[in-house]
Amino acid sequence: MESPIVKEDVDDLKRLFQLYDHSKTGVIRPEQLYDLLRKSRFPVAKSDFKDFLAAIDPSGRNAIAFDQLLAGVRAQASSTSLKQELTNAFRVFDSGDTGYVRAGDLVEAMKGLQASEGMGEEEIRELVEEVDFDGDGKIEYEKFVEMMLELE
């Protein structure tokens, strides 16, 4: 999936990064990174920042280069974009806005989807049954996301 970040976003992030890189060493500290992200188009929730930082600074150096920042923002934007696509897809299947999709309806809908191309009806039914953990015939949003990610 293509990252939704455009050249202007990269330029804006670069300008912000340079503002926070007071010593012009090419790196910033995690506290600066958090502030920078809050002021950008790609804020990270405080509760998610530790994971974001671990993903872009796995060695724990606490010195973040611009390339690391950009890679993290691209990954975050792609993840957010995928989640939004899955949310939109779920809403299509959940036409009654109930918070769940009936398993039978989902099987029927998936028969025509390109994502399930090459899968037979029995394989689709098995996949849907796998995520209907409690066997109630209803697929909640979280189960739906899990199933769709298996198709990726």
Side-chain angles (χ1 to χ4, degrees):
M1 172 183 302
E2 192 65 29
S3 171
I5 295 179
V6 296
K7 182 183 180 322
E8 291 79 19
D9 295 327
V10 174
D11 293 343
D12 289 345
L13 284 170
K14 184 70 169 179
R15 276 191 288 280
L16 276 171
F17 187 89
Q18 290 168 343
L19 287 173
Y20 280 90
D21 182 13
H22 304 292
S23 58
K24 307 299 179 213
T25 59
V27 296
I28 60 175
R29 295 183 324 275
E31 312 80 59
Q32 294 171 302
L33 175 63
Y34 180 73
D35 287 341
L36 180 155
L37 289 168
R38 284 186 35 230
K39 293 177 180 165
S40 77
R41 192 173 81 83
F42 307 98
V44 174
K46 193 168 195 158
S47 59
D48 296 330
F49 182 69
K50 185 176 178 183
D51 291 336
F52 180 86
L53 183 60
I56 67 169
D57 185 25
S59 66
R61 286 186 32 229
N62 290 329
I64 313 302
F66 179 73
D67 290 344
Q68 291 171 288
L69 165 64
L70 187 57
V73 168
R74 281 193 167 132
Q76 174 194 4
S78 293
S79 174
T80 301
S81 179
L82 176 59
K83 186 172 182 165
Q84 187 60 49
E85 287 179 32
L86 290 174
T87 298
N88 292 343
F90 184 81
R91 286 185 181 141
V92 168
F93 296 129
D94 181 18
S95 58
D97 200 25
T98 60
Y100 66 86
V101 177
R102 289 182 358 151
D105 293 342
L106 189 56
V107 168
E108 291 302 313
M110 286 183 65
K111 286 181 190 177
L113 284 179
Q114 186 174 0
S116 60
E117 196 172 289
M119 294 177 72
E121 183 174 344
E122 188 58 35
E123 290 173 297
I124 293 172
R125 285 191 189 284
E126 287 174 10
L127 180 62
V128 170
E129 286 173 9
E130 281 179 31
V131 294
D132 183 14
F133 302 114
D134 52 14
D136 65 357
K138 298 175 182 175
I139 309 298
E140 286 80 20
Y141 175 73
E142 292 79 18
K143 295 177 189 177
F144 175 80
V145 170
E146 180 181 319
M147 180 184 65
M148 296 307 286
L149 290 175
E150 282 185 30
L151 293 175
E152 283 281 4

